[in-house]
Amino acid sequence: MKKLGTLLMALCLLAALVGCSSETEKGPDYNVGVIQYVQHEALDKATNGFVEALTKAVEADGKTVNIEVKNASNESANCTTIAADFLSNNVDLIMANATPALLAAATATDSTPILGTSITVYDAAFDGTTPANVSGTSDLAPLDKQAEMFNELLPEANTIGLLYCSAEKNSAYQIETIESYLTQMGKTCKRYSFAEASELSMVVEQACQEVDAIYIPTDNTCAANTETIANVVLPNNIPVIAGENGICTGCGIATLSIDYYDIGYATGLMAYEILVNGKSVSDMPVEFAPEFTYLYNPDNCAYFNIDVPSNYQPIE
Protein backbone atom coordinates (compact mmCIF):
# COMPACT_ATOMS: atom_id res chain seq x y z
CA MET A 1 0.00 0.00 0.00
CA LYS A 2 2.84 2.33 0.79
CA LYS A 3 4.34 1.79 -2.66
CA LEU A 4 0.94 2.32 -4.26
CA GLY A 5 0.51 5.59 -2.39
CA THR A 6 3.94 6.78 -3.50
CA LEU A 7 3.11 5.87 -7.09
CA LEU A 8 -0.16 7.78 -6.95
CA MET A 9 1.58 10.85 -5.57
CA ALA A 10 4.17 10.65 -8.36
CA LEU A 11 1.43 10.40 -10.96
CA CYS A 12 -0.39 13.40 -9.50
CA LEU A 13 2.83 15.41 -9.51
CA LEU A 14 3.48 14.44 -13.12
CA ALA A 15 -0.04 15.45 -14.09
CA ALA A 16 0.42 18.81 -12.40
CA LEU A 17 3.69 19.38 -14.21
CA VAL A 18 2.12 18.45 -17.54
CA GLY A 19 -0.72 20.86 -16.80
CA CYS A 20 1.71 23.66 -16.02
CA SER A 21 3.64 22.88 -19.19
CA SER A 22 0.45 23.03 -21.25
CA GLU A 23 -0.43 26.41 -19.76
CA THR A 24 3.07 27.69 -20.49
CA GLU A 25 2.97 26.50 -24.09
CA LYS A 26 -0.53 27.83 -24.69
CA GLY A 27 0.72 31.33 -25.42
CA PRO A 28 -1.41 34.47 -25.73
CA ASP A 29 -5.05 34.37 -26.76
CA TYR A 30 -4.43 36.82 -29.59
CA ASN A 31 -1.45 37.84 -31.71
CA VAL A 32 -1.34 41.23 -33.38
CA GLY A 33 1.26 42.73 -35.68
CA VAL A 34 1.85 46.49 -35.97
CA ILE A 35 3.56 47.97 -39.01
CA GLN A 36 4.73 51.52 -38.30
CA TYR A 37 5.96 53.21 -41.46
CA VAL A 38 8.52 55.51 -39.86
CA GLN A 39 9.47 56.70 -36.41
CA HIS A 40 8.37 60.22 -35.55
CA GLU A 41 6.28 61.86 -32.84
CA ALA A 42 2.82 61.54 -34.41
CA LEU A 43 3.10 57.89 -35.45
CA ASP A 44 4.78 56.96 -32.16
CA LYS A 45 1.81 58.42 -30.27
CA ALA A 46 -0.67 56.53 -32.44
CA THR A 47 1.14 53.23 -31.89
CA ASN A 48 1.34 53.82 -28.14
CA GLY A 49 -2.36 54.62 -27.98
CA PHE A 50 -3.22 51.46 -29.91
CA VAL A 51 -1.06 49.19 -27.75
CA GLU A 52 -2.35 50.64 -24.48
CA ALA A 53 -6.03 50.53 -25.47
CA LEU A 54 -5.96 46.98 -26.85
CA THR A 55 -3.86 45.57 -24.00
CA LYS A 56 -6.06 47.19 -21.35
CA ALA A 57 -9.32 46.05 -22.95
CA VAL A 58 -8.18 42.46 -23.54
CA GLU A 59 -6.72 42.04 -20.07
CA ALA A 60 -9.93 43.39 -18.53
CA ASP A 61 -11.61 40.33 -20.06
CA GLY A 62 -9.06 38.04 -18.44
CA LYS A 63 -7.36 37.28 -21.74
CA THR A 64 -3.90 37.99 -23.15
CA VAL A 65 -2.62 39.61 -26.32
CA ASN A 66 0.84 39.70 -27.85
CA ILE A 67 1.47 42.86 -29.87
CA GLU A 68 4.61 42.94 -32.00
CA VAL A 69 5.58 46.38 -33.33
CA LYS A 70 7.92 46.63 -36.30
CA ASN A 71 9.20 49.87 -37.84
CA ALA A 72 9.67 50.07 -41.61
CA SER A 73 12.21 52.94 -41.38
CA ASN A 74 10.46 55.02 -44.06
CA GLU A 75 10.79 52.25 -46.68
CA SER A 76 7.69 50.89 -48.42
CA ALA A 77 9.57 47.70 -49.31
CA ASN A 78 10.12 47.07 -45.61
CA CYS A 79 6.37 47.36 -45.03
CA THR A 80 5.84 44.56 -47.55
CA THR A 81 8.40 42.34 -45.84
CA ILE A 82 6.95 42.99 -42.38
CA ALA A 83 3.42 42.23 -43.56
CA ALA A 84 4.57 38.92 -45.06
CA ASP A 85 6.35 38.00 -41.81
CA PHE A 86 3.25 38.72 -39.74
CA LEU A 87 1.05 36.65 -42.03
CA SER A 88 3.50 33.73 -41.98
CA ASN A 89 3.18 33.81 -38.19
CA ASN A 90 -0.63 33.71 -38.50
CA VAL A 91 -1.37 36.95 -36.66
CA ASP A 92 -5.02 37.52 -35.88
CA LEU A 93 -4.96 41.19 -36.93
CA ILE A 94 -2.59 43.73 -38.48
CA MET A 95 -2.50 47.38 -37.46
CA ALA A 96 -0.95 49.56 -40.14
CA ASN A 97 0.29 52.95 -38.99
CA ALA A 98 0.45 55.35 -42.00
CA THR A 99 -0.64 54.92 -45.60
CA PRO A 100 2.36 52.99 -47.04
CA ALA A 101 2.01 50.45 -44.23
CA LEU A 102 -1.71 50.10 -44.91
CA LEU A 103 -1.22 49.59 -48.64
CA ALA A 104 1.43 46.93 -48.05
CA ALA A 105 -0.76 45.05 -45.58
CA ALA A 106 -3.82 45.19 -47.85
CA THR A 107 -1.78 43.94 -50.80
CA ALA A 108 -0.51 41.03 -48.72
CA THR A 109 -3.92 39.75 -47.54
CA ASP A 110 -7.60 40.09 -48.29
CA SER A 111 -8.73 37.94 -45.36
CA THR A 112 -6.81 38.91 -42.22
CA PRO A 113 -8.43 41.96 -40.55
CA ILE A 114 -6.44 45.16 -41.05
CA LEU A 115 -6.91 48.37 -39.09
CA GLY A 116 -5.18 51.54 -40.17
CA THR A 117 -4.37 54.67 -38.24
CA SER A 118 -2.77 57.98 -39.25
CA ILE A 119 -4.51 57.55 -42.63
CA THR A 120 -5.94 60.70 -44.18
CA VAL A 121 -8.57 59.37 -46.62
CA TYR A 122 -8.96 55.62 -47.04
CA ASP A 123 -10.60 55.53 -50.47
CA ALA A 124 -8.01 57.98 -51.81
CA ALA A 125 -5.22 55.80 -50.46
CA PHE A 126 -6.58 52.87 -52.47
CA ASP A 127 -7.38 54.96 -55.57
CA GLY A 128 -11.05 54.11 -55.28
CA THR A 129 -12.61 51.66 -52.84
CA THR A 130 -11.22 50.50 -49.51
CA PRO A 131 -10.93 46.68 -49.33
CA ALA A 132 -13.53 44.83 -47.25
CA ASN A 133 -10.96 43.63 -44.68
CA VAL A 134 -9.74 47.18 -43.97
CA SER A 135 -10.99 49.89 -41.63
CA GLY A 136 -9.48 52.12 -38.95
CA THR A 137 -9.09 55.77 -37.99
CA SER A 138 -8.35 58.92 -39.95
CA ASP A 139 -6.03 61.80 -39.08
CA LEU A 140 -7.74 64.23 -41.46
CA ALA A 141 -7.98 67.72 -39.98
CA PRO A 142 -10.28 70.50 -41.30
CA LEU A 143 -8.15 71.71 -44.21
CA ASP A 144 -10.38 74.74 -44.78
CA LYS A 145 -9.63 75.88 -41.22
CA GLN A 146 -5.92 75.29 -41.71
CA ALA A 147 -6.04 77.44 -44.83
CA GLU A 148 -7.71 80.25 -42.88
CA MET A 149 -4.76 80.25 -40.49
CA PHE A 150 -2.67 81.98 -43.15
CA ASN A 151 -4.99 85.00 -43.12
CA GLU A 152 -5.20 84.93 -39.34
CA LEU A 153 -1.48 84.60 -38.55
CA LEU A 154 0.25 85.67 -41.78
CA PRO A 155 -2.06 88.17 -43.51
CA GLU A 156 0.73 89.60 -45.66
CA ALA A 157 1.77 86.20 -47.02
CA ASN A 158 0.41 86.12 -50.56
CA THR A 159 2.45 83.32 -52.13
CA ILE A 160 2.24 80.01 -50.30
CA GLY A 161 4.59 77.09 -50.91
CA LEU A 162 3.03 73.63 -50.57
CA LEU A 163 5.72 71.20 -49.46
CA TYR A 164 5.15 67.44 -49.57
CA CYS A 165 6.58 64.03 -50.49
CA SER A 166 5.25 62.94 -53.87
CA ALA A 167 5.44 59.28 -52.79
CA GLU A 168 2.76 59.79 -50.12
CA LYS A 169 -0.80 59.66 -51.42
CA ASN A 170 -2.18 61.14 -48.22
CA SER A 171 0.01 64.22 -48.70
CA ALA A 172 -1.00 64.69 -52.33
CA TYR A 173 -4.68 64.62 -51.33
CA GLN A 174 -4.18 67.27 -48.66
CA ILE A 175 -2.13 69.50 -50.95
CA GLU A 176 -4.76 69.40 -53.69
CA THR A 177 -7.54 70.15 -51.21
CA ILE A 178 -5.90 72.98 -49.30
CA GLU A 179 -4.66 74.55 -52.53
CA SER A 180 -8.26 75.02 -53.64
CA TYR A 181 -9.10 76.75 -50.34
CA LEU A 182 -6.04 79.00 -50.48
CA THR A 183 -6.75 79.93 -54.11
CA GLN A 184 -10.32 80.89 -53.19
CA MET A 185 -8.83 83.15 -50.52
CA GLY A 186 -6.80 84.94 -53.21
CA LYS A 187 -3.46 83.30 -52.43
CA THR A 188 -0.99 82.17 -55.06
CA CYS A 189 0.16 78.60 -54.47
CA LYS A 190 3.31 76.86 -55.65
CA ARG A 191 3.87 73.15 -55.16
CA TYR A 192 7.24 71.82 -54.02
CA SER A 193 7.41 68.05 -54.03
CA PHE A 194 10.28 65.66 -53.42
CA ALA A 195 10.53 61.90 -53.80
CA GLU A 196 13.15 61.14 -51.15
CA ALA A 197 14.39 62.74 -47.94
CA SER A 198 17.79 63.36 -49.54
CA GLU A 199 16.12 65.93 -51.85
CA LEU A 200 14.33 67.77 -49.08
CA SER A 201 16.87 70.43 -48.15
CA MET A 202 17.37 71.51 -51.76
CA VAL A 203 13.62 71.68 -52.44
CA VAL A 204 12.96 73.72 -49.28
CA GLU A 205 15.77 76.11 -50.20
CA GLN A 206 14.19 76.68 -53.60
CA ALA A 207 10.80 77.30 -52.00
CA CYS A 208 12.25 79.86 -49.61
CA GLN A 209 13.45 81.96 -52.53
CA GLU A 210 10.01 82.04 -54.15
CA VAL A 211 7.30 82.15 -51.46
CA ASP A 212 6.18 84.13 -48.40
CA ALA A 213 5.20 81.14 -46.27
CA ILE A 214 5.01 77.34 -46.46
CA TYR A 215 2.32 74.79 -45.69
CA ILE A 216 3.24 71.17 -44.82
CA PRO A 217 0.45 68.54 -44.54
CA THR A 218 0.54 65.42 -42.35
CA ASP A 219 3.47 64.15 -44.38
CA ASN A 220 5.51 61.34 -42.81
CA THR A 221 8.78 62.15 -44.55
CA CYS A 222 8.57 65.81 -43.54
CA ALA A 223 7.63 64.79 -40.00
CA ALA A 224 10.72 62.61 -39.76
CA ASN A 225 12.96 65.43 -41.03
CA THR A 226 11.73 68.59 -39.33
CA GLU A 227 15.24 69.61 -38.27
CA THR A 228 16.33 69.65 -41.92
CA ILE A 229 13.39 71.90 -42.78
CA ALA A 230 13.94 74.19 -39.80
CA ASN A 231 17.60 74.64 -40.72
CA VAL A 232 16.47 76.16 -44.03
CA VAL A 233 13.25 78.04 -43.31
CA LEU A 234 14.36 79.88 -40.17
CA PRO A 235 17.49 81.53 -41.64
CA ASN A 236 15.40 82.48 -44.69
CA ASN A 237 12.63 83.97 -42.50
CA ILE A 238 9.92 81.77 -44.02
CA PRO A 239 7.22 80.71 -41.53
CA VAL A 240 5.59 77.27 -41.77
CA ILE A 241 2.01 76.32 -40.94
CA ALA A 242 1.84 72.60 -40.35
CA GLY A 243 -0.77 69.89 -40.68
CA GLU A 244 -0.01 68.35 -37.30
CA ASN A 245 1.62 68.88 -33.93
CA GLY A 246 4.91 67.06 -34.49
CA ILE A 247 5.84 69.01 -37.62
CA CYS A 248 4.81 72.25 -35.93
CA THR A 249 7.04 71.45 -32.96
CA GLY A 250 9.99 70.80 -35.23
CA CYS A 251 9.78 73.61 -37.77
CA GLY A 252 6.40 75.37 -37.72
CA ILE A 253 4.65 78.31 -36.12
CA ALA A 254 1.15 76.86 -35.70
CA THR A 255 -1.23 74.03 -36.54
CA LEU A 256 -4.80 72.87 -36.17
CA SER A 257 -4.10 69.32 -35.09
CA ILE A 258 -5.59 66.14 -33.76
CA ASP A 259 -4.08 64.09 -30.93
CA TYR A 260 -2.49 61.03 -32.55
CA TYR A 261 -2.62 59.13 -29.26
CA ASP A 262 -6.41 59.49 -29.33
CA ILE A 263 -6.85 57.99 -32.80
CA GLY A 264 -4.40 55.21 -31.96
CA TYR A 265 -6.41 54.48 -28.82
CA ALA A 266 -9.65 54.41 -30.81
CA THR A 267 -8.03 51.95 -33.23
CA GLY A 268 -7.08 49.73 -30.30
CA LEU A 269 -10.71 49.63 -29.16
CA MET A 270 -11.74 48.68 -32.70
CA ALA A 271 -9.22 45.83 -32.59
CA TYR A 272 -10.73 44.65 -29.31
CA GLU A 273 -14.18 44.50 -30.90
CA ILE A 274 -12.81 42.36 -33.74
CA LEU A 275 -10.66 40.01 -31.67
CA VAL A 276 -12.75 39.53 -28.55
CA ASN A 277 -16.32 40.29 -29.60
CA GLY A 278 -16.08 38.83 -33.10
CA LYS A 279 -17.13 41.98 -34.92
CA SER A 280 -16.44 41.97 -38.67
CA VAL A 281 -14.01 44.63 -39.84
CA SER A 282 -16.16 45.12 -42.93
CA ASP A 283 -18.99 46.34 -40.69
CA MET A 284 -16.83 48.98 -38.98
CA PRO A 285 -16.84 52.46 -40.53
CA VAL A 286 -13.69 54.57 -40.47
CA GLU A 287 -13.57 56.71 -37.34
CA PHE A 288 -12.37 60.31 -37.07
CA ALA A 289 -10.69 62.34 -34.33
CA PRO A 290 -13.20 63.65 -31.76
CA GLU A 291 -11.64 67.12 -31.56
CA PHE A 292 -9.03 69.44 -33.04
CA THR A 293 -6.85 71.96 -31.23
CA TYR A 294 -5.22 75.19 -32.40
CA LEU A 295 -1.59 75.01 -31.28
CA TYR A 296 1.39 77.32 -31.67
CA ASN A 297 5.13 77.00 -31.30
CA PRO A 298 6.13 79.73 -28.80
CA ASP A 299 9.78 79.90 -29.86
CA ASN A 300 9.09 80.14 -33.59
CA CYS A 301 6.22 82.61 -33.16
CA ALA A 302 8.53 84.83 -31.12
CA TYR A 303 11.20 84.45 -33.80
CA PHE A 304 8.78 85.76 -36.45
CA ASN A 305 7.13 88.33 -34.14
CA ILE A 306 3.71 86.76 -34.61
CA ASP A 307 0.85 87.77 -32.33
CA VAL A 308 -1.04 84.58 -31.49
CA PRO A 309 -4.81 84.72 -30.88
CA SER A 310 -6.07 83.64 -27.46
CA ASN A 311 -7.74 80.47 -28.79
CA TYR A 312 -4.32 78.97 -29.62
CA GLN A 313 -2.60 76.79 -27.05
CA PRO A 314 1.19 76.68 -26.70
CA ILE A 315 2.95 73.44 -27.60
CA GLU A 316 4.64 72.17 -24.46
Side-chain angles (χ1 to χ4, degrees):
M1 288 292 292
K2 189 172 183 181
K3 288 184 178 179
L4 179 60
T6 303
L7 179 60
L8 288 172
M9 288 180 63
L11 289 173
C12 289
L13 178 61
L14 178 61
L17 290 172
V18 170
C20 290
S21 176
S22 298
E23 287 297 317
T24 302
E25 293 174 1
K26 178 188 174 187
D29 294 293
Y30 310 104
N31 285 289
V32 173
V34 175
I35 310 172
Q36 181 170 320
Y37 179 55
V38 63
Q39 187 170 10
H40 62 70
E41 180 181 349
L43 299 192
D44 289 348
K45 285 184 174 181
T47 293
N48 291 340
F50 174 83
V51 171
E52 291 182 23
L54 180 56
T55 302
K56 182 178 179 181
V58 169
E59 290 181 350
D61 269 3
K63 298 182 182 296
T64 57
V65 59
N66 174 61
I67 305 173
E68 185 174 4
V69 179
K70 291 189 176 182
N71 195 300
S73 302
N74 207 24
E75 292 289 343
S76 295
N78 291 343
C79 292
T80 300
T81 301
I82 294 169
D85 287 344
F86 284 153
L87 292 170
S88 69
N89 292 326
N90 297 314
V91 295
D92 300 299
L93 181 144
I94 293 175
M95 194 281 268
N97 193 351
T99 301
L102 182 69
L103 294 176
T107 299
T109 178
D110 59 4
S111 56
T112 299
I114 299 170
L115 290 176
T117 193
S118 313
I119 313 298
T120 305
V121 179
Y122 281 73
D123 286 352
F126 289 102
D127 294 325
T129 303
T130 303
N133 66 320
V134 173
S135 188
T137 56
S138 170
D139 64 355
L140 182 62
L143 296 173
D144 56 338
K145 301 296 185 184
Q146 289 186 350
E148 291 171 3
M149 293 169 68
F150 282 92
N151 276 345
E152 188 171 41
L153 301 176
L154 305 167
E156 296 181 3
N158 295 314
T159 303
I160 311 300
L162 308 176
L163 178 67
Y164 68 105
C165 178
S166 58
E168 297 192 33
K169 292 183 178 182
N170 60 305
S171 299
Y173 172 88
Q174 291 171 85
I175 290 300
E176 183 175 348
T177 303
I178 201 166
E179 183 175 19
S180 66
Y181 291 128
L182 290 169
T183 301
Q184 291 171 23
M185 290 163 48
K187 305 292 186 183
T188 298
C189 295
K190 293 187 176 183
R191 297 191 186 191
Y192 296 90
S193 65
F194 58 94
E196 298 178 355
S198 59
E199 304 170 359
L200 183 55
S201 181
M202 179 182 65
V203 171
V204 176
E205 184 65 48
Q206 179 187 351
C208 287
Q209 307 309 313
E210 301 172 353
V211 303
D212 303 315
I214 289 175
Y215 172 78
I216 303 175
T218 57
D219 184 285
N220 291 297
T221 308
C222 287
N225 294 276
T226 56
E227 184 177 356
T228 297
I229 299 170
N231 287 340
V232 180
V233 297
L234 293 178
N236 281 284
N237 293 311
I238 300 296
V240 171
I241 288 180
E244 55 92 6
N245 184 1
I247 296 175
C248 185
T249 301
C251 63
I253 59 166
T255 183
L256 175 58
S257 182
I258 67 168
D259 188 323
Y260 277 79
Y261 178 87
D262 288 347
I263 62 169
Y265 200 94
T267 312
L269 296 181
M270 294 175 74
Y272 168 79
E273 291 295 329
I274 294 168
L275 296 172
V276 180
N277 293 333
K279 194 164 185 179
S280 173
V281 65
S282 63
D283 294 332
M284 305 181 81
V286 171
E287 297 185 12
F288 294 84
E291 59 184 22
F292 305 91
T293 306
Y294 285 98
L295 301 169
Y296 74 97
N297 183 322
D299 292 336
N300 287 351
C301 284
Y303 181 88
F304 288 105
N305 295 314
I306 294 172
D307 292 326
V308 182
S310 59
N311 63 314
Y312 282 71
Q313 299 178 18
I315 294 175
E316 299 177 353

